[in-house]
Amino acid sequence: MKKIVKHDQDVIRQHNKQMILDIIKEKRPISRAEITKITKLSPTSVGRIVGELCEQGLVRETELSSGGVGRKAIMLDIDPQAVFSIGVDIGKKIVRFGVMEFSGKLLYELPVGHTAIETEAGRTIDLIADTINRLVKEQGLDRSKLIGIGIGVPGVIDHERGVVQYSSTLGWRNVPLAAHIKERTGIDTVIDNDLKVKILAEYLCGSARGSKKTALIELGTGVGSSLIIDGEIFRGGSNSAGELGHTTLDPNGNLCECGKRGCLQTYIDESAILHEANRIVEIGDIGQLFEAARSDESWAKEIISRTSLYIGIAINNIVCMYNPDAVILSGNMVENYSDIVPLIEEQCAQVVWEPFRGGFKILASDLKERSIVIGAASLVLNNYVNQS
């Protein structure tokens, strides 16, 4: 029982520390009294946490406030360049890199093309390590301030051990990615599922800012989801929560790559949609389907309408399970072909269970292709704050 209580106390302390730091970042400069008013924590608690942040060099006292009457308050600010982190997004064709300062601003971004050949994780590891070592040198980064590398990876990730357990996108199984990158760069490395770091980015500086509970749905070459509640990523028992694409839509339906039939992704990911379209007209990519729909081709409009219906059903399922106040749509399909968003909203008006209609917002991703890099770099910063 004592261990459970201690764990709960640690979680609350970390949450409060992160909350106060986020407030200082957003409203800087700000006084301790203002933080107390916003957080409703006691002045003693606020003072203790601010003291910890100052000792870490993350927060500093700055000029006195000149407003108001009576004794002037000492203001608090952050040092934007107190520490740096590197974010990495491993996609199927592109690996994106970003250097982030403590304020959350990306100072440098670099996309690098690659080919994720099945089982050849070593080639991608070489590319990541070599690029990071080059970035550190070329950008003149102070290694004493470089607190870590964060990597977003598609698939089932053991984030505590730093292992990619399975990634169908990359063809990897049981790859100790974090250890390999740290060995090659000398920099502490953490990894996580790409959608989990993506929703963290949207929560900190994107569409989900101010939301208490947000669900994200990724639509593109695959289908997935993630959930964040009061700033905490919902992981499930094995960090596998959010495998929306493998929820069953029809037990007698299309055969999925996982071996089951009727998985949601066999109806709404890009390959499934293209397969359906090519039964009617030969096309090479999703863009041609949307162009046909814009040209009033009935077959194309019907496929997109049916896809929108299935996405609406997926949103209903998530809303019924988690009751979020916002659902973010992200991925190639909605970011490159925004025509589909109003169609999804129309379907939601019909298929979402009535008690939940109007109780949540459907939003597009603000950060788009930068979100995983930002989220992975932010994960490093959050871990640093909470572990220090």
Side-chain angles (χ1 to χ4, degrees), residues 180-192:
H180 283 312
I181 298 300
K182 181 177 181 179
E183 181 182 0
R184 294 283 304 277
T185 63
I187 304 169
D188 288 340
T189 302
V190 294
I191 70 172
D192 210 336

Side-chain angles (χ1 to χ4, degrees), residues 184-371:
R184 294 283 304 277
T185 63
I187 304 169
D188 288 340
T189 302
V190 294
I191 70 172
D192 210 336
N193 171 267
D194 55 351
L195 297 190
K196 288 179 171 59
V197 298
K198 177 177 258 193
I199 200 168
L200 177 63
E202 294 288 354
Y203 172 80
L204 292 173
C205 52
S207 301
R209 288 185 70 180
S211 168
K212 292 290 186 182
K213 187 189 298 180
T214 301
L216 178 143
I217 300 177
E218 179 87 355
L219 302 165
T221 53
V223 178
S225 68
S226 54
L227 181 72
I228 193 164
I229 303 171
D230 291 328
E232 294 292 327
I233 300 169
F234 179 72
R235 298 185 177 279
S238 59
N239 199 36
S240 299
E243 290 297 328
L244 182 68
H246 294 290
T247 57
T248 303
L249 196 63
D250 178 0
N252 299 310
N254 302 331
L255 182 64
C256 182
E257 62 183 17
C258 73
K260 295 194 307 175
R261 287 194 174 273
C263 289
L264 177 65
Q265 71 178 27
T266 66
Y267 294 89
I268 63 174
D269 78 357
E270 288 187 8
S271 61
I273 296 168
L274 280 175
H275 179 72
E276 185 177 359
N278 277 289
R279 290 177 175 178
I280 305 167
V281 176
E282 188 173 339
I283 61 171
D285 58 51
I286 291 293
Q288 290 176 279
L289 173 66
F290 278 88
E291 281 299 321
R294 292 178 194 127
S295 299
D296 214 27
E297 296 279 351
S298 59
W299 63 271
K301 291 172 69 175
E302 184 177 338
I303 290 173
I304 293 174
S305 176
R306 188 158 54 247
T307 301
S308 302
L309 171 62
Y310 291 143
I311 295 171
I313 291 170
I315 291 173
N316 174 62
N317 291 342
I318 283 181
V319 169
C320 286
M321 283 189 291
Y322 299 118
N323 190 22
D325 49 49
V327 175
I328 298 175
L329 300 178
S330 69
N332 296 333
M333 194 184 304
V334 292
E335 290 167 14
N336 295 330
Y337 310 106
S338 57
D339 321 34
I340 198 170
V341 175
L343 298 177
I344 294 170
E345 291 175 331
E346 287 177 17
Q347 295 291 358
C348 283
Q350 302 299 317
V351 301
V352 170
W353 190 37
E354 187 174 352
F356 292 111
R357 290 178 199 165
F360 65 97
K361 296 178 182 178
I362 296 178
L363 306 168
S365 168
D366 274 350
L367 304 175
K368 299 183 179 179
E369 73 275 359
R370 305 168 71 218
S371 58

